Amino acid sequence: MGIVEFFGVRHHSPAAARLVAERIDADPPAIVLIEGPADYNDHLEQLTLDHDLPVMIYSWAPLRPELPRGAAGWAARRSAFYPLTAYSPEWAALRAADKRGIPFQFMDLPWPALADVAEAENRFAGHAESTEALERMLTEFGVDTLDVLIDELVEIDPALNLTDYRTRMHTLGEALRGPESEETRLRELFMADRIRTATAQADGVVLVVCGAAHVSGLTELLAQPAVDPPGWEPPADDDRYGIALTPTSYQALDALTGYNAGQPNPGFYDALHEDRLAGRADTAERLFTHVTAELRKAGKFVAAADLIAVLTTARGLAALRGHAQLWRTDLLDGVIGALVKDDSGGDHPLVERVHEALRGTKLGALHPDAHRPPLVHELTAEIAVLGLTPTPQSRVEPADLTTDDGLRRSQLLHSLQELEVPLGIPVASADADGVERWRITWSPEYEGQLVAAARFGGSRDEAVTTALLDAADGADEKPREAASIMLRAALCGVDELADTLQQRTATILATTGDLGGLGEALALLLRLYRYDPLLRTTGRVDIGALVTVAFDRIARLVERFGPLPDGPAVDPLIAAIKTAADAQERTAEALALPVQVWDDALAAVVTDTQQAAALRGAALGARWLSGHVPDGELAESVLLIHPVERLGDFVHGLLAVAREAALRREDLIHALDGVVTAMSEASFLGAVPGLRRAFSAYSPRDRARVASVLLGERGAAALQAFAGSGEDAIALAAFEAEAAATVERFLGTLTLIGLE
């Protein structure tokens, strides 16, 4: 029968890491139980390999496990992580135990078993809430945060022994332990059961390494009759559950929050851990020396007097605070106090470099023999074969969709985007020449995200399918999102979900009342239809059928238009009309589009005098492009707009749909000029906003073409030379009119010789 001995810890602590290793070496226990996910016990040999720390155990589970495969929301996931650094007491304990040949195990309840509870309580395992006792300790020590309090209690003293450490951590653990949450209750029941099992089997000491806040709760449970603990096993053949080891970085650790998830300034604590093992007590000074050397290498000079002032201030603060050695807070406060003259202090290069040194730059890497999920092996091999392995120096790589290798490159890079693996950033589409271009960039999260992508599935096709199904779950009744997922699936080369997505997308397109969203969806489908020969989607999905459904639905919705006012709210409707006109122009010969229904709907809008002028113009432009309105009739329609103040909105809608064609029809431009010239000043000013919107999309060259038709080459050149805004032009015109009226009133009508 074994004897239980608790070793309470802070989850990232150089002092705890050093002392727990010393404890195991000094009097080896029979077994070491460690607060960590018990479902990783089958993979503990992975932790005995020589990884480059930091690493983390990554656990994932479905958001809604009750859903059957393929149901909406089936693929949605959530996850948790357990970081391990060189100065984590859990890491130090398992490595010391392995070195001595002592069995060790994780004893905490698997995260998927408590995910619902932790999420409901908005807590992560082990997170400490404030208690009266903790608030009292913070006040007594004159500090603001738990991290600083633990530094004061156990980290700063380089000579802290095991007895004093245990006394202080016991006091801290009691202060941290507030009202018991459901999460804590379940976890401690599970851990207590594991301790009982180990004690019954062990002949000697069972050393339990856990958060200090759990010690008293576990002690109390072990003194009571045993109760059935919560149990958990992943369902058979459900790959939505998983756990794996993955690299991480000190940058990520520094950004995390929570009692056991992250820690500020991990670079400082890593250096402190190394120094303490080597018997040194000058960590802050050593980091500061490194910072100043790096600044000099970068050509940023800091005067010796300033450096002396920083160290003098920092050491004074350390003495005032009773620190046994210069600490991270002393150093940072010393830099700010001695050098920074403003309130923020963020602009001084020394402050930035000190923050960077305290954060650390270490990137984790798994040992070559470490187990990786099958997906990681598949993706890594394919990335290498296609020449896309990232390097510290970013580069641009082409993906020629007209070749087999280029298409494979494109599909892989699009797949990695869906799996949230940071590798390729698109910098140019294939619109111009059939060649995509991607910037290949390495990032600290690259390897970790490869492992994390395994939560979506065991192969690339399966994982991408799962990720897209996740996205599709939020696309109900959103036509643009549904079409976007169709396009993304095609870009990734995914086959499995094509039929399912096509059926869902067709239903959304056929039933939506969102004309603006429907127009955006049709634009995406037209893009996919255009790329169909390159992406080779034929046989997997019928894009033409979806284009037909979307076109028909747009025609039906336009047919039901009620009167609408002019203004920005009609712009999405105009865009939908333009996209439908584009679809008719590009696909009418290949697809059985309901063009008669479409033209009848447009004609009704054009003749509806109660309808927004911009929509009437858009409908006319669409009919003109389709050949149902002759050029002469188009020009005449401009003359019939009443009141003339609505002319600007009408032209805005017309040109939004038929902008390029209008440049080739001088009759339209002359008709427009005739109407504008005949306007009164008040009518002209009323039409100006719409006219400005109408021509705002034209390039300077196209505007010059319009000006040359109306004003001749000299007038166009003068217009191009004018650098003012539309408001400036109106103001000048008003000034000239007022000046002319004044001259006429006082001097009569004059003929200006040479300008008549």
Side-chain angles (χ1 to χ4, degrees):
M1 189 72 174
I3 301 172
V4 179
E5 177 184 335
F6 286 102
F7 195 104
V9 301
R10 172 201 200 185
H11 291 294
H12 301 289
S13 167
R18 172 177 61 85
L19 291 171
V20 75
E22 290 178 2
R23 163 64 190 85
I24 292 171
D25 286 340
D27 186 10
I31 185 173
V32 178
L33 297 182
I34 301 168
E35 184 184 326
D39 49 337
Y40 197 73
N41 281 336
D42 291 339
H43 313 289
L44 287 178
E45 75 283 352
Q46 296 292 307
L47 299 178
T48 65
L49 299 173
D50 290 327
H51 307 289
D52 293 335
L53 300 179
V55 298
M56 67 181 180
I57 299 171
Y58 186 87
S59 176
W60 62 91
L63 179 63
R64 299 184 62 187
E66 73 280 3
L67 294 178
R69 188 179 188 90
W74 173 85
R77 295 165 188 263
R78 49 192 169 177
S79 55
F81 41 83
Y82 303 80
L84 295 168
T85 65
Y87 57 90
S88 297
E90 297 88 351
W91 178 260
L94 69 87
R95 297 290 286 195
D98 181 64
K99 180 180 177 181
R100 288 271 184 174
I102 301 169
F104 63 91
Q105 288 185 350
F106 287 143
M107 63 171 185
D108 202 356
L109 181 63
W111 179 78
L114 55 87
D116 288 337
V117 174
E119 190 171 87
E121 295 179 351
N122 195 24
R123 292 160 57 98
F124 186 85
H127 176 72
E129 295 181 344
S130 180
T131 66
E132 290 186 12
L134 178 59
E135 292 295 332
R136 187 165 54 252
M137 290 185 71
L138 291 172
T139 301
E140 290 174 354
F141 277 85
V143 297
D144 297 326
T145 68
L146 176 60
D147 290 308
V148 177
L149 175 62
I150 297 176
D151 283 352
E152 297 285 341
L153 281 173
V154 300
E155 303 294 355
I156 292 179
D157 184 1
L160 183 68
N161 58 43
L162 181 58
T163 301
D164 289 342
Y165 169 85
R166 280 185 153 150
T167 299
R168 297 178 186 185
M169 287 304 293
H170 175 76
T171 302
L172 179 63
E174 290 299 297
L176 289 172
R177 193 169 182 85
E180 184 179 69
S181 68
E182 179 64 9
E183 176 196 343
T184 299
R185 187 186 72 83
L186 293 173
R187 293 179 61 212
E188 290 184 352
L189 282 173
F190 188 89
M191 288 191 281
D193 181 73
R194 290 301 177 104
I195 295 170
R196 283 193 179 93
T197 300
T199 304
Q201 298 172 352
D203 184 14
V205 171
V206 176
L207 184 64
V208 178
V209 181
C210 65
H214 292 300
V215 172
S216 61
L218 291 173
T219 301
E220 183 177 342
L221 283 174
L222 293 174
Q224 299 172 359
V227 297
D228 291 336
W232 183 83
E233 289 292 337
D237 302 323
D238 191 340
D239 54 11
R240 295 178 298 166
Y241 294 89
I243 190 165
L245 194 64
T246 177
T248 185
S249 67
Y250 277 167
Q251 183 177 5
L253 192 62
D254 185 63
L256 299 175
T257 59
Y259 177 58
N260 73 334
Q263 183 187 31
N265 305 149
F268 171 80
Y269 291 101
D270 183 278
L272 179 72
H273 180 61
E274 292 182 2
D275 287 346
R276 291 284 170 82
L277 293 179
R280 296 190 298 263
D282 60 347
T283 303
E285 290 94 333
R286 192 163 57 83
L287 286 176
F288 185 66
T289 301
H290 173 74
V291 166
T292 56
E294 289 296 312
L295 280 173
R296 290 194 178 101
K297 288 180 183 178
K300 296 181 179 180
F301 178 75
V302 181
D306 287 338
L307 300 179
I308 293 172
V310 168
L311 287 177
T312 301
T313 303
R315 286 169 178 154
L317 289 171
L320 183 65
R321 294 165 176 169
H323 293 169
Q325 70 175 83
L326 189 65
W327 202 244
R328 62 182 180 94
T329 49
D330 304 325
L331 177 61
L332 188 57
D333 291 346
V335 172
I336 295 174
L339 299 183
V340 177
K341 308 306 179 186
D342 59 25
D343 292 334
S344 66
D347 294 335
H348 199 286
L350 194 56
V351 176
E352 179 183 348
R353 289 302 179 97
V354 167
H355 274 300
E356 183 178 304
L358 295 177
R359 181 178 65 242
T361 58
K362 279 193 175 180
L363 304 172
L366 299 184
H367 188 275
D369 295 337
H371 168 75
R372 291 170 174 81
L375 177 64
V376 177
H377 292 289
E378 178 186 343
L379 292 176
T380 303
E382 194 171 5
I383 288 168
V385 166
L386 294 175
L388 298 174
T389 301
T391 60
Q393 184 68 37
S394 67
R395 65 189 189 277
V396 174
E397 292 281 354
D400 187 346
L401 302 185
T402 65
T403 68
D404 289 342
D405 279 352
L407 182 59
R408 286 179 60 200
R409 275 188 162 201
S410 173
Q411 290 174 344
L412 174 62
L413 289 166
H414 281 289
S415 295
L416 292 174
Q417 282 197 316
E418 296 298 335
L419 298 177
E420 303 172 5
V421 175
L423 174 65
I425 302 170
V427 295
S429 73
D431 291 353
D433 55 4
V435 180
E436 295 176 339
R437 288 167 179 83
W438 296 75
R439 182 170 299 281
I440 306 302
T441 305
W442 179 87
S443 74
E445 295 78 24
Y446 170 66
E447 287 190 11
Q449 285 302 111
L450 278 174
V451 175
R455 71 189 189 276
F456 290 113
S459 68
R460 174 157 72 95
D461 279 352
E462 181 184 5
V464 173
T465 297
T466 300
L468 288 171
L469 284 172
D470 261 0
D473 182 38
D476 289 346
E477 300 181 2
K478 298 177 182 177
R480 187 195 186 286
E481 284 78 355
S484 173
I485 293 167
M486 292 294 305
L487 177 60
R488 287 155 58 184
L491 292 172
C492 294
V494 171
D495 293 325
E496 182 179 334
L497 78 169
D499 288 342
T500 301
L501 275 184
Q502 172 151 346
Q503 294 170 9
R504 291 181 60 183
T505 303
T507 300
I508 293 171
L509 297 177
T511 58
T512 184
D514 178 8
L515 180 58
L518 190 58
E520 293 175 340
L522 179 57
L524 291 171
L525 293 171
L526 285 174
R527 178 180 175 85
L528 184 53
Y529 185 82
R530 177 187 178 191
Y531 281 134
D532 182 58
L534 294 177
L535 299 177
R536 306 171 198 179
T537 56
T538 301
R540 289 186 284 136
V541 62
D542 188 350
I543 301 300
L546 292 176
V547 169
T548 303
V549 170
F551 183 91
D552 179 75
R553 185 60 177 169
I554 289 177
R556 304 296 177 184
L557 291 177
V558 170
E559 191 177 37
R560 302 171 191 171
F561 266 162
L564 295 170
D566 280 300
V570 301
D571 285 348
L573 311 184
I574 295 172
I577 292 174
K578 179 185 186 320
T579 303
D582 291 342
Q584 181 179 5
E585 183 178 2
R586 297 182 190 180
T587 68
E589 293 184 3
L591 301 177
L593 301 180
V595 292
Q596 189 59 54
V597 174
W598 171 236
D599 187 64
D600 290 344
L602 294 175
V605 173
V606 173
T607 58
D608 184 357
T609 58
Q610 302 302 312
Q611 187 56 269
L615 285 175
R616 295 177 66 195
L620 181 65
R623 296 197 73 214
W624 180 37
L625 289 177
S626 66
H628 287 88
V629 175
D631 287 0
E633 184 178 328
L634 178 73
E636 291 175 3
S637 67
V638 175
L639 302 174
L640 299 177
I641 295 300
H642 294 287
V644 291
E645 288 84 352
R646 301 181 69 187
L647 175 68
D649 294 312
F650 179 85
V651 174
H652 163 63
L654 174 63
L655 296 186
V657 173
R659 182 174 299 114
E660 292 79 8
L663 286 174
R664 301 190 295 270
R665 310 300 210 277
E666 293 189 5
D667 286 349
L668 172 63
I669 297 175
H670 283 298
L672 176 61
D673 179 44
V675 175
V676 172
T677 302
M679 281 182 174
S680 67
E681 181 179 350
S683 296
F684 173 71
L685 293 177
V688 161
L691 289 171
R692 287 194 62 200
R693 284 203 300 157
F695 287 96
S696 63
Y698 279 135
S699 66
R701 175 177 294 181
D702 289 339
R703 292 180 193 178
R705 289 179 61 186
V706 174
S708 67
V709 172
L710 297 177
L711 306 175
E713 293 185 1
R714 291 181 62 188
L719 186 61
Q720 283 185 299
F722 179 70
S725 65
E727 286 82 359
D728 294 334
I730 294 173
L732 285 172
F735 172 75
E736 289 177 355
E738 183 179 351
T742 301
V743 169
E744 183 176 358
R745 186 167 59 253
F746 285 96
L747 301 177
T749 302
L750 295 178
T751 299
L752 299 180
I753 299 175
L755 297 178
E756 55 189 344

